[in-house]
Structures are given as structure tokens and as C-alpha cells.
């Protein structure tokens, strides 16, 4: 049997902890105020971080 | 709010100290003088750039960075001007000149030079990508973004005791940098940076972008608006020191003035991160 076939299958990726990612970004935005623009950017960056963390799993 | 009288910083004193800082290389001054001249003598400017070998070498290194897709194919300033355009080369040379002049002040106590330059490059790259989305000049945005926080370095070099008082105030009260500067010094790093930019003879709109990068007034100045949002975006992406960077307020009026499309902006974030790493490697030792 070829060596490649003997390798164990990779472990399934751990799920992204959405709440942890959100809370970490909320701490970054703690001094950004509650303005509409800051909130919009928060949501854009949150989606980006979730995608990026997902891609790195 | 009136400043803390014991550490208030008179603009006249700051101006005197700024005058003692390293000057820009002469080639950068020449390039800036013709910043808005559409009919500049490109051959002459290319010759001047090439005459400053250290700056020319740095500009070629940036020209050959992955961002411009020319890996190792450009081996002269003249060729860089032809292939990449004069504005891009000028931006590289002036940026390299600013880095060189400011690096000449040496290491400073209680000032994180690495994070300073990483944030400058990050904001510059973000402002350039935003300019591309909004139809503004991307190289001007890069040039302004790179030096938008130069006032922080100015204050650290010229008035270290005042800076220590600002940091002590922040630690005690949890204020944002600009608010603490205004309270303790009576002026902010944005104003200090604009004073240096004016002293160096940078174009008026770059001086304005530096002066207004934390102000709602940036909404009326496209370059300042790009720098304001680029600055906040660079912090949000954690380009200076990682994902826990504090994000400053994003002004509603400035955000509205750029009329950014959220989907397009989302699609740009990955490019900003990639371009940031490439540019940092090429521009900063």
C-alpha cells in the first residue's frame, strides 16, 4: 500500500467560535463610540474576521 | 476643554522644535514642488531621483515588489516611470524620503517605532485601496496615509516629557489618544503633524489631510476623508500590532462623504492585508 494511503484522515475543522470573535472585536471598538459609521464598519470587519478565521481552521 | 496648565504646549515652542528636525532630501522637495503640475519634466525628475542612489534603490525595490507585479523586471527609475507611471514612482520616492528623514531621529524611549511604521503603511495601503473604490487619486491617498500620524513622532521627538504626561493621563482616565492630547497639551498630534508637513513644504491638501484626519471636517476634503477611514480601517484590521488594536471612532459625515459600497469594501479587505505585507517589506527595513 502506498505510504500516502496509510496516513490518517485529517481531523475535522473545529467550528469558529462566533461569539468569541464578536466579543474580541467589540473590545477593539470599545472606544469607537456608537455612531452609525462605526457600527457599519464593525459589522463588515466581523464578517471578514469570521471568514478569515474560518479559512484558517 | 482647557489643557492641563503644567504640560500645555505652546504652538510657537513646537514650531521652533520642529524647525530642528531632519529636512527632507532635496529630490523629495523637488518632487513635491511639482506635485500638482501636469506638465512636469519627467526626464529631469527621473534624473534627479536617480542621482540620490539610496532613494532610487528604495524606489526600485518598491517597484519590483509583488504589489506592482513586476518582480525584478524594473532596473532603472526611467523604466519605473514608463511602466508604473510618474505618480506612482513619485509617491514611492517621497514615501521613502519621509521614512529616511524620520528614521534619522533614532530610537526613542517609550515610542514603539515598529508599530508606528506598520500603522503608517497600513493606513497608506488602506487609503490607496479606498481611493481606487471612490475614484480618487490612489497615490496621493497613499502619500497622505503614510504620514498621517507623523505628529505622534514629532511630539515624541520634540516634547518627550509632554508625551509622558499624555500617556499618564490616558492610563489614569482611559481617554483616546487625541482626547488626552487635547486635554494635556492643548493641541493634538494631527496639528503637530500638519505643522511638520507645512515646514517640509508638503502640498496643502496633504497638510490638510494630516490636520483633519480625526475631524468631522474631513468630510469636506476627499483626501482627508480617505485618510480618516483608512486610519480606522488599518486599526480594525490590526495591521500595526494584531487583532486587539483599539479602533478609533469613525465619523458618520466622513463615512457618508465617501459613499462606500459595503460589499466592495468587504471585498477589498483581503487585498489591503496582502498589499500591506508587500509594501511593508519594500519600504521599511
Amino acid at each position: 500500500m502506498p505510504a500516502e494511503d496509510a496516513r490518517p484522515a485529517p481531523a475535522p475543522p473545529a467550528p469558529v467560535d462566533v461569539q468569541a470573535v464578536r466579543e474580541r472585536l467589540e473590545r477593539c471598538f470599545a472606544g469607537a463610540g456608537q455612531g452609525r459609521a462605526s457600527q457599519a464598519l464593525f459589522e463588515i470587519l466581523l464578517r471578514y474576521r469570521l471568514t478569515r478565521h474560518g479559512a484558517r481552521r | 476643554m482647557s489643557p492641563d496648565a503644567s504640560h500645555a504646549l505652546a504652538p510657537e515652542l513646537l514650531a521652533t522644535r520642529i524647525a530642528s528636525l531632519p529636512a527632507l532630501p532635496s529630490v523629495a522637495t523637488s518632487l513635491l514642488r511639482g506635485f500638482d503640475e501636469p506638465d512636469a519634466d519627467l526626464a529631469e525628475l527621473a534624473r534627479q531621483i536617480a542621482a540620490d542612489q539610496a532613494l532610487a534603490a528604495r524606489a526600485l525595490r518598491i517597484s519590483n515588489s509583488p504589489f506592482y507585479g513586476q518582480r525584478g523586471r524594473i532596473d532603472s527609475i526611467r523604466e519605473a516611470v514608463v511602466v508604473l507611471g510618474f505618480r506612482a514612482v513619485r509617491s514611492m520616492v517621497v514615501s521613502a524620503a519621509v521614512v529616511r528623514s524620520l528614521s534619522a531621529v533614532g530610537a526613542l524611549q517609550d515610542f514603539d517605532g515598529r508599530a508606528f511604521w506598520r500603522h503608517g503603511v497600513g493606513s497608506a495601503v488602506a487609503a490607496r485601496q479606498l481611493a481606487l473604490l471612490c475614484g480618487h487619486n490612489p497615490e496621493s491617498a497613499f502619500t497622505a496615509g503614510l504620514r498621517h500620524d507623523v505628529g505622534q513622532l514629532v511630539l515624541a521627538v520634540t516634547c518627550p516629557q509632554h508625551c509622558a504626561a499624555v500617556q499618564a493621563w490616558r492610563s489614569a482616565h482611559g481617554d483616546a489618544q487625541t482626547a488626552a492630547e487635547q486635554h494635556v497639551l492643548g493641541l493634538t498630534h494631527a496639528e503637530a503633524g500638519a505643522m511638520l508637513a507645512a515646514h517640509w513644504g508638503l502640498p496643502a491638501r496633504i497638510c490638510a489631510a494630516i490636520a483633519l484626519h480625526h475631524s468631522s471636517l474631513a468630510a469636506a476634503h476627499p483626501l482627508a476623508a480617505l485618510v480618516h477611514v483608512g486610519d480606522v480601517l488599518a486599526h480594525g484590521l490590526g495591521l500595526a500590532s494584531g487583532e486587539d488594536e483599539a479602533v478609533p471612532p469613525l465619523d458618520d459625515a466622513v463615512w457618508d462623504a465617501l459613499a462606500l459600497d459595503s460589499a466592495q469594501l468587504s471585498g477589498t479587505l483581503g487585498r489591503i492585508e496582502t498589499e500591506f505585507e508587500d509594501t511593508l517589506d519594500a519600504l521599511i527595513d
Side-chain angles (χ1 to χ4, degrees):
Chain A
M1 179 184 292
E4 295 80 39
D5 295 339
R7 286 185 305 204
V16 177
D17 187 340
V18 176
Q19 188 60 26
V21 173
R22 172 181 280 276
E23 288 176 359
R24 190 173 181 185
L25 189 59
E26 282 174 347
R27 285 194 292 276
C28 296
F29 273 75
Q34 298 298 313
R36 178 170 42 81
S38 288
Q39 292 300 312
L41 184 62
F42 175 89
E43 293 300 330
I44 290 169
L45 286 170
L46 178 60
R47 282 196 298 274
Y48 181 68
R49 285 193 182 190
L50 289 172
T51 304
R52 192 171 57 174
H53 283 287
R56 284 181 184 167
R57 284 180 310 193
Chain B
M1 186 184 299
S2 60
D4 175 350
S6 61
H7 289 97
L9 184 56
E12 299 78 13
L13 173 64
L14 183 57
T16 303
R17 295 185 179 179
I18 283 175
S20 67
L21 292 176
L24 277 185
S26 59
V27 62
T29 308
S30 296
L31 288 171
L32 287 165
R33 203 176 295 132
F35 208 79
D36 293 315
E37 294 175 7
D39 54 350
D41 183 343
L42 301 189
E44 169 59 17
L45 288 172
R47 190 195 63 74
Q48 287 184 34
I49 295 169
D52 187 325
Q53 293 185 10
L55 275 187
R58 180 69 71 177
L60 287 177
R61 187 169 151 188
I62 303 169
S63 301
N64 285 302
S65 69
F67 172 70
Y68 286 104
Q70 302 293 330
R71 292 177 181 272
R73 280 181 246 169
I74 296 178
D75 55 16
S76 74
I77 289 295
R78 186 179 289 271
E79 191 176 351
V81 170
V82 171
V83 175
L84 305 178
F86 176 65
R87 285 185 166 188
V89 174
R90 178 177 57 190
S91 172
M92 293 171 202
V93 172
V94 173
S95 297
V98 168
V99 171
R100 186 168 87 184
S101 291
L102 293 179
S103 299
V105 301
L108 297 165
Q109 195 174 4
D110 300 326
F111 186 82
D112 187 345
R114 178 178 177 274
F116 172 80
W117 285 118
R118 286 181 66 89
H119 178 62
V121 172
S123 302
V125 168
R128 175 156 62 188
Q129 286 293 339
L130 293 171
L132 290 169
L133 289 181
C134 302
H136 294 292
N137 180 339
E139 300 306 336
S140 293
F142 183 90
T143 302
L146 180 68
R147 64 208 66 183
H148 75 284
D149 269 342
V150 70
Q152 290 188 5
L153 185 55
V154 167
L155 292 173
V157 172
T158 60
C159 309
Q161 291 178 331
H162 292 75
C163 288
V166 170
Q167 294 315 315
W169 178 271
R170 288 191 73 185
S171 298
H173 298 86
D175 279 357
Q177 177 80 19
T178 309
E181 288 169 348
Q182 189 64 53
H183 182 88
V184 176
L185 307 178
L187 53 78
T188 69
H189 69 273
E191 295 162 77
M195 289 170 71
L196 177 66
H199 174 67
W200 274 352
L202 300 189
R205 56 204 172 93
I206 290 186
C207 296
I210 293 171
L212 300 176
H213 77 268
H214 284 299
S215 167
S216 295
L217 297 176
H221 299 258
L223 193 56
L226 291 168
V227 171
H228 173 77
V229 179
D231 175 25
V232 176
L233 202 46
H235 281 299
L237 289 170
L239 298 181
S241 55
E243 284 196 350
D244 293 317
E245 277 184 58
V247 179
L250 181 58
D251 187 90
D252 288 347
V254 180
W255 175 255
D256 290 344
L258 291 183
L260 289 161
D261 179 276
S262 293
Q264 282 187 320
L265 179 57
S266 298
T268 300
L269 300 180
R271 282 200 294 279
I272 291 173
E273 289 195 313
T274 303
E275 187 186 339
F276 166 70
E277 293 297 342
D278 293 344
T279 307
L280 191 70
D281 285 346
L283 193 57
I284 310 292
D285 285 325

